[in-house]
Amino acid sequence: MTLHIPFDNSYAALPDGFFARVQPEPVKAPSLIAVNAPLARDLGIDGLDDPNLAAVFAGNAVPGGAAPLAQLYAGHQFGQYNPQLGDGRAVLLGETVGTDGIRRDIQLKGSGRTPYSRMGDGRAWLGPVLREYVVSEAMHALGVPTTRALAAVRTGEKVVRERPLPGAVLTRVAQSHLRVGTFQVFAARGDTTALQTMFDYAVDRHYPDATDPARFLDAVMHKQSALVAQWLSLGFIHGVMNTDNCSISGETIDYGPCAFMDSYHPETVYSSIDRFGRYSYAAQADMIVWNMAQLATALLSLMPDPEAAVDPFTAQIHTMPEMIRAEWLTRFAAKIGISDPKPEDAQLVTDLLSLMQVSETDFTNTFRGLVDGTARDQFADPTGFDQWAVGWQARLDGEDDPQGRMRSVNPALIPRNHRIEDMITAAIAGDDAPFHRLNAAYANPYEDDESCNDLRLPPRSNEVVHATFCGT
Ligand code: AMP
Ligand code: MG
């Protein structure tokens, strides 16, 4: 085997009780769909010319130095606490310390059953695997903290969902897979020793300066505030912001029913299981605060006097909406060309968003249109936009290079739902060309590339995707 992954595993060295050692379950006929060579290089991986890549990334051949395990965690799912989740269809192979000095997990997703599989088959089908590959890599190219995709393989086996579908395995890379739920599981059990060990591990790995729970909470809150503001600024809807899908490192994790909005409406929901809009576009800011409150609750038992810590922790959580609002204003002000926003600039942004909502304009193309002067064409009746633009132009007076600023934050390309669906349909039929095309196109989302003009189009009425599904 020429493939060399320089594993340097820390999680596997934690004491018993944090994970279950488990081997990935081999599959019948692995075949490689893609390997992400630039990411592999950044992770310090050599030997991608290895003929066994498919076997490795399917879990059939465990590379030297790996210490496969499934992590234990819990979580609130749609507000309901589930005391035991864990990696039910994923196996952490191990970690590498990349060329940037950052430690990252390498995890197989869809690699078979684990002690945490509950009723599940431990598998993933091709659709969600390719969707996560394309969307997570697009998010990275858009500049959003996110897990990455290192490889995708077909398993040569069927998985049974509503119908038999081709199976696949995704290799996911993350700064870690620690979640809010990783803390909740030990706090709920009253296992303060394990909770303290997990806390020390997380501090060491992610926030070395945050040596007490309050500072740690603050650090995670800041990362999550910045993250959700970035999602909002791109029209991204995560779709299933359960506490087990909320990462301690502040990366976007778990691309299930996620979607980018086409036409703007703050109440947009795609996920088929989100019947009450808990995780709608605009609700995401509140939901991340809710998740941080669950983290705070879990951290309480690490305090010398948990009872006395309730009020200060509550006060800390109450600082978060303002944190998010500030991040939101910075992001959205930049989207209209403003570099150093004043509080009153929020009105200019919300006025534009209101016009967009009423006219149901395309979120991405309206903002990108501010760069090249085509934004007004998005409005069936541009009267309101024209009035807005007078005040906007006046505000931009004296701004240095607003066009350049807008161009760098308003993407031309986002992974549109109908393109993703078409790509999956083609891949089921054995044609991976659309998958490769989308990956290549979304790698440069802020460029104007004429060959990608078709990818900028919103869906026609018969192409609109109304619902997205979890990968289960
Ligand atoms: P998710 O919706 O991907 O966040 O998954 C929620 C929980 O369900 C996690 O504990 C997963 O590991 C588990 N899970 C999801 N799909 C499967 C599956 N096909 N087999 C076993 N466990 C699964
Ligand atoms: Mg999950």
Side-chain angles (χ1 to χ4, degrees):
M1 203 187 265
T2 57
L3 182 73
H4 174 67
I5 305 179
F7 284 111
D8 177 350
N9 305 328
S10 64
Y11 205 86
L14 287 172
D16 285 348
F18 293 93
F19 56 84
R21 292 194 195 274
V22 56
Q23 295 294 315
E25 286 182 326
V27 301
K28 205 157 75 190
S31 65
L32 192 67
I33 302 167
V35 61
N36 188 338
L39 175 59
R41 208 175 307 124
D42 293 346
L43 294 171
I45 298 175
D46 291 323
L48 287 187
D49 52 351
D50 195 312
N52 285 323
L53 287 192
V56 170
F57 293 121
N60 285 25
V62 174
L69 59 86
Q71 293 181 333
L72 172 67
Y73 54 86
H76 278 91
Q77 300 180 304
F78 289 91
Q80 289 289 325
Y81 187 64
N82 189 327
Q84 194 183 301
L85 295 165
D87 291 331
R89 53 164 163 174
V91 168
L92 176 69
L93 289 179
E95 303 139 37
T96 70
V97 178
T99 52
D100 56 4
I102 297 177
R103 175 178 295 279
R104 289 188 181 80
D105 284 1
I106 301 178
Q107 187 201 62
L108 302 179
K109 188 171 170 185
S111 52
R113 289 180 52 81
T114 78
Y116 311 123
S117 296
R118 297 172 290 154
M119 303 301 283
D121 60 3
R123 293 299 181 189
W125 75 273
L126 184 63
V129 165
L130 296 186
R131 178 177 239 281
E132 174 156 352
Y133 194 114
V134 170
V135 181
S136 67
E137 286 302 300
M139 288 284 270
H140 174 72
L142 287 162
V144 185
T146 177
T147 62
R148 305 281 309 274
L150 179 61
V153 294
R154 282 186 175 77
T155 61
E157 297 175 357
K158 295 279 186 213
V159 294
V160 181
R161 297 295 180 258
E162 297 83 37
R163 58 191 170 107
L165 290 158
V169 177
L170 178 80
T171 304
R172 175 162 78 177
V173 171
Q175 290 206 13
S176 83
H177 286 84
L178 303 183
R179 312 137 192 271
V180 171
T182 317
F183 287 83
Q184 289 182 285
V185 67
F186 303 112
R189 290 175 178 182
D191 187 345
T192 314
T193 310
L195 186 64
Q196 185 69 51
T197 302
M198 182 48 63
F199 177 76
D200 294 341
Y201 179 81
V203 166
D204 190 46
R205 188 157 174 183
H206 295 299
Y207 304 105
D209 298 331
T211 44
D212 64 77
R215 273 194 280 180
F216 179 80
L217 178 63
D218 193 60
V220 181
M221 281 165 48
H222 271 99
K223 291 267 189 187
Q224 287 290 343
S225 298
L227 182 66
V228 78
Q230 240 183 321
W231 289 354
L232 295 173
S233 80
L234 293 165
F236 179 78
I237 305 166
H238 181 282
V240 60
M241 294 171 68
N242 294 333
T243 58
D244 54 304
N245 294 337
C246 182
S247 108
I248 294 298
S249 75
E251 291 180 314
T252 311
I253 187 169
D254 234 327
Y255 290 84
C258 69
F260 283 79
M261 268 193 297
D262 292 303
S263 59
Y264 174 69
H265 196 295
E267 287 166 24
T268 306
V269 176
Y270 288 98
S271 170
S272 60
I273 56 169
D274 190 1
R275 280 179 299 152
F276 304 108
R278 179 179 171 90
Y279 301 132
S280 70
Y281 170 78
Q284 297 183 111
D286 290 342
M287 285 300 108
I288 208 69
V289 177
W290 196 89
N291 286 353
M292 290 299 101
Q294 307 318 308
L295 178 62
T297 304
L299 292 172
L300 269 182
S301 37
L302 292 179
M303 301 302 283
D305 182 351
E307 198 71 5
V310 171
D311 283 349
F313 271 34
T314 306
Q316 213 179 320
I317 290 295
H318 284 156
T319 64
M320 199 172 171
E322 178 52 32
M323 228 181 247
I324 297 173
R325 214 197 52 80
E327 295 279 358
W328 177 92
L329 182 57
T330 303
R331 291 271 166 201
F332 273 85
K335 289 179 79 66
I336 61 171
I338 297 169
S339 58
D340 187 13
K342 304 180 188 42
E344 58 269 28
D345 291 324
Q347 190 64 48
L348 200 57
V349 174
T350 51
D351 285 349
L352 175 60
L353 289 171
S354 302
L355 291 166
M356 290 167 60
Q357 181 180 338
V358 169
S359 296
E360 299 178 21
T361 69
D362 185 82
F363 183 85
T364 303
N365 291 349
T366 305
F367 280 106
R368 185 69 178 187
L370 297 176
V371 180
D372 58 19
T374 60
R376 91 186 283 280
D377 307 342
Q378 300 289 325
F379 295 84
D381 173 1
T383 318
F385 177 82
D386 289 341
Q387 281 164 0
W388 176 83
V390 175
W392 175 50
Q393 285 305 327
R395 175 60 182 87
L396 288 188
D397 222 26
E399 279 288 344
D400 184 35
D401 193 20
Q403 302 310 116
R405 180 167 304 113
M406 291 190 289
R407 182 181 293 281
S408 69
V409 295
N410 295 336
L413 293 174
I414 47 141
R416 290 185 183 271
N417 304 319
H418 64 299
R419 291 296 180 170
I420 299 285
E421 295 298 326
D422 287 351
M423 174 274 286
I424 291 171
T425 305
I428 292 174
D431 176 10
D432 291 347
F435 165 77
H436 292 295
R437 179 182 181 221
L438 292 187
N439 269 321
Y442 298 152
N444 299 300
Y446 297 104
E447 307 280 302
D448 287 310
D449 178 347
E450 283 201 1
S451 73
C452 296
N453 279 354
D454 60 316
L455 300 180
R456 298 176 64 162
L457 298 175
R460 288 189 292 260
S461 55
N462 64 328
E463 292 174 324
V464 175
V465 172
H466 296 285
T468 53
F469 301 88
C470 281
T472 49

